[in-house]
PDB file of all heavy atoms in Angstrom:
ATOM      1  N   ILE Q  78      16.938  12.739  -5.878  1.00  0.00           N
ATOM      2  CA  ILE Q  78      16.723  11.314  -6.157  1.00  0.00           C
ATOM      3  C   ILE Q  78      17.586  10.461  -5.230  1.00  0.00           C
ATOM      4  O   ILE Q  78      17.130   9.434  -4.715  1.00  0.00           O
ATOM      5  CB  ILE Q  78      17.004  10.997  -7.644  1.00  0.00           C
ATOM      6  CG1 ILE Q  78      15.977  11.716  -8.527  1.00  0.00           C
ATOM      7  CG2 ILE Q  78      16.970   9.497  -7.901  1.00  0.00           C
ATOM      8  CD1 ILE Q  78      16.312  11.722  -9.995  1.00  0.00           C
ATOM      9  N   ASP Q  79      18.826  10.901  -4.994  1.00  0.00           N
ATOM     10  CA  ASP Q  79      19.702  10.182  -4.057  1.00  0.00           C
ATOM     11  C   ASP Q  79      19.099  10.136  -2.657  1.00  0.00           C
ATOM     12  O   ASP Q  79      19.192   9.120  -1.968  1.00  0.00           O
ATOM     13  CB  ASP Q  79      21.084  10.844  -3.993  1.00  0.00           C
ATOM     14  CG  ASP Q  79      21.934  10.542  -5.215  1.00  0.00           C
ATOM     15  OD1 ASP Q  79      21.564   9.618  -5.978  1.00  0.00           O
ATOM     16  OD2 ASP Q  79      22.943  11.229  -5.412  1.00  0.00           O
ATOM     17  N   LEU Q  80      18.478  11.231  -2.241  1.00  0.00           N
ATOM     18  CA  LEU Q  80      17.819  11.278  -0.933  1.00  0.00           C
ATOM     19  C   LEU Q  80      16.702  10.236  -0.859  1.00  0.00           C
ATOM     20  O   LEU Q  80      16.578   9.514   0.133  1.00  0.00           O
ATOM     21  CB  LEU Q  80      17.255  12.676  -0.665  1.00  0.00           C
ATOM     22  CG  LEU Q  80      16.380  12.804   0.582  1.00  0.00           C
ATOM     23  CD1 LEU Q  80      17.232  12.711   1.836  1.00  0.00           C
ATOM     24  CD2 LEU Q  80      15.592  14.090   0.548  1.00  0.00           C
ATOM     25  N   ILE Q  81      15.921  10.144  -1.914  1.00  0.00           N
ATOM     26  CA  ILE Q  81      14.831   9.157  -1.949  1.00  0.00           C
ATOM     27  C   ILE Q  81      15.394   7.742  -1.888  1.00  0.00           C
ATOM     28  O   ILE Q  81      14.882   6.883  -1.164  1.00  0.00           O
ATOM     29  CB  ILE Q  81      13.955   9.359  -3.204  1.00  0.00           C
ATOM     30  CG1 ILE Q  81      13.201  10.681  -3.090  1.00  0.00           C
ATOM     31  CG2 ILE Q  81      12.980   8.206  -3.389  1.00  0.00           C
ATOM     32  CD1 ILE Q  81      12.507  11.108  -4.330  1.00  0.00           C
ATOM     33  N   LEU Q  82      16.467   7.490  -2.644  1.00  0.00           N
ATOM     34  CA  LEU Q  82      17.091   6.167  -2.630  1.00  0.00           C
ATOM     35  C   LEU Q  82      17.707   5.871  -1.259  1.00  0.00           C
ATOM     36  O   LEU Q  82      17.639   4.745  -0.772  1.00  0.00           O
ATOM     37  CB  LEU Q  82      18.152   6.073  -3.728  1.00  0.00           C
ATOM     38  CG  LEU Q  82      17.648   6.162  -5.163  1.00  0.00           C
ATOM     39  CD1 LEU Q  82      18.815   6.183  -6.139  1.00  0.00           C
ATOM     40  CD2 LEU Q  82      16.704   5.016  -5.481  1.00  0.00           C
ATOM     41  N   GLU Q  83      18.311   6.886  -0.657  1.00  0.00           N
ATOM     42  CA  GLU Q  83      18.919   6.716   0.663  1.00  0.00           C
ATOM     43  C   GLU Q  83      17.875   6.338   1.714  1.00  0.00           C
ATOM     44  O   GLU Q  83      18.134   5.534   2.602  1.00  0.00           O
ATOM     45  CB  GLU Q  83      19.615   8.020   1.061  1.00  0.00           C
ATOM     46  CG  GLU Q  83      20.357   7.952   2.372  1.00  0.00           C
ATOM     47  CD  GLU Q  83      20.996   9.287   2.696  1.00  0.00           C
ATOM     48  OE1 GLU Q  83      21.667   9.852   1.815  1.00  0.00           O
ATOM     49  OE2 GLU Q  83      20.818   9.747   3.836  1.00  0.00           O
ATOM     50  N   LYS Q  84      16.693   6.900   1.582  1.00  0.00           N
ATOM     51  CA  LYS Q  84      15.612   6.611   2.527  1.00  0.00           C
ATOM     52  C   LYS Q  84      14.853   5.335   2.159  1.00  0.00           C
ATOM     53  O   LYS Q  84      13.868   4.986   2.794  1.00  0.00           O
ATOM     54  CB  LYS Q  84      14.618   7.785   2.580  1.00  0.00           C
ATOM     55  CG  LYS Q  84      15.220   9.072   3.061  1.00  0.00           C
ATOM     56  CD  LYS Q  84      15.580   8.994   4.507  1.00  0.00           C
ATOM     57  CE  LYS Q  84      16.095  10.344   4.991  1.00  0.00           C
ATOM     58  NZ  LYS Q  84      16.458  10.319   6.376  1.00  0.00           N
ATOM     59  N   ASN Q  85      15.320   4.662   1.109  1.00  0.00           N
ATOM     60  CA  ASN Q  85      14.731   3.386   0.672  1.00  0.00           C
ATOM     61  C   ASN Q  85      13.288   3.528   0.171  1.00  0.00           C
ATOM     62  O   ASN Q  85      12.434   2.706   0.452  1.00  0.00           O
ATOM     63  CB  ASN Q  85      14.793   2.355   1.801  1.00  0.00           C
ATOM     64  CG  ASN Q  85      15.373   1.048   1.333  1.00  0.00           C
ATOM     65  OD1 ASN Q  85      15.778   0.931   0.180  1.00  0.00           O
ATOM     66  ND2 ASN Q  85      15.407   0.074   2.212  1.00  0.00           N
ATOM     67  N   HIS Q  86      13.044   4.587  -0.593  1.00  0.00           N
ATOM     68  CA  HIS Q  86      11.704   4.846  -1.113  1.00  0.00           C
ATOM     69  C   HIS Q  86      11.684   4.912  -2.642  1.00  0.00           C
ATOM     70  O   HIS Q  86      10.884   5.655  -3.220  1.00  0.00           O
ATOM     71  CB  HIS Q  86      11.148   6.145  -0.546  1.00  0.00           C
ATOM     72  CG  HIS Q  86      10.901   6.110   0.919  1.00  0.00           C
ATOM     73  ND1 HIS Q  86      10.054   5.206   1.509  1.00  0.00           N
ATOM     74  CD2 HIS Q  86      11.402   6.868   1.921  1.00  0.00           C
ATOM     75  CE1 HIS Q  86      10.039   5.407   2.814  1.00  0.00           C
ATOM     76  NE2 HIS Q  86      10.861   6.407   3.098  1.00  0.00           N
ATOM     77  N   ALA Q  87      12.521   4.154  -3.298  1.00  0.00           N
ATOM     78  CA  ALA Q  87      12.604   4.198  -4.754  1.00  0.00           C
ATOM     79  C   ALA Q  87      11.285   3.818  -5.419  1.00  0.00           C
ATOM     80  O   ALA Q  87      10.952   4.324  -6.487  1.00  0.00           O
ATOM     81  CB  ALA Q  87      13.710   3.275  -5.252  1.00  0.00           C
ATOM     82  N   GLU Q  88      10.523   2.958  -4.784  1.00  0.00           N
ATOM     83  CA  GLU Q  88       9.273   2.481  -5.395  1.00  0.00           C
ATOM     84  C   GLU Q  88       8.224   3.577  -5.520  1.00  0.00           C
ATOM     85  O   GLU Q  88       7.292   3.457  -6.311  1.00  0.00           O
ATOM     86  CB  GLU Q  88       8.704   1.284  -4.613  1.00  0.00           C
ATOM     87  CG  GLU Q  88       8.089   1.634  -3.261  1.00  0.00           C
ATOM     88  CD  GLU Q  88       9.077   1.905  -2.139  1.00  0.00           C
ATOM     89  OE1 GLU Q  88      10.280   1.654  -2.317  1.00  0.00           O
ATOM     90  OE2 GLU Q  88       8.645   2.388  -1.086  1.00  0.00           O
ATOM     91  N   ILE Q  89       8.363   4.668  -4.766  1.00  0.00           N
ATOM     92  CA  ILE Q  89       7.365   5.741  -4.852  1.00  0.00           C
ATOM     93  C   ILE Q  89       7.789   6.873  -5.789  1.00  0.00           C
ATOM     94  O   ILE Q  89       7.052   7.852  -5.942  1.00  0.00           O
ATOM     95  CB  ILE Q  89       6.997   6.302  -3.460  1.00  0.00           C
ATOM     96  CG1 ILE Q  89       8.185   6.995  -2.807  1.00  0.00           C
ATOM     97  CG2 ILE Q  89       6.397   5.228  -2.580  1.00  0.00           C
ATOM     98  CD1 ILE Q  89       7.829   7.763  -1.542  1.00  0.00           C
ATOM     99  N   LEU Q  90       8.942   6.744  -6.431  1.00  0.00           N
ATOM    100  CA  LEU Q  90       9.415   7.780  -7.349  1.00  0.00           C
ATOM    101  C   LEU Q  90       8.376   8.150  -8.419  1.00  0.00           C
ATOM    102  O   LEU Q  90       8.106   9.335  -8.613  1.00  0.00           O
ATOM    103  CB  LEU Q  90      10.713   7.334  -8.020  1.00  0.00           C
ATOM    104  CG  LEU Q  90      11.988   7.990  -7.529  1.00  0.00           C
ATOM    105  CD1 LEU Q  90      13.201   7.355  -8.170  1.00  0.00           C
ATOM    106  CD2 LEU Q  90      11.984   9.471  -7.707  1.00  0.00           C
TER     107      LEU Q  90
END
Side-chain angles (χ1 to χ4, degrees):
I78 295 168
D79 285 346
L80 172 72
I81 292 170
L82 295 175
E83 184 181 311
K84 298 291 184 180
N85 230 3
H86 294 301
E88 73 283 350
I89 65 171
L90 255 174

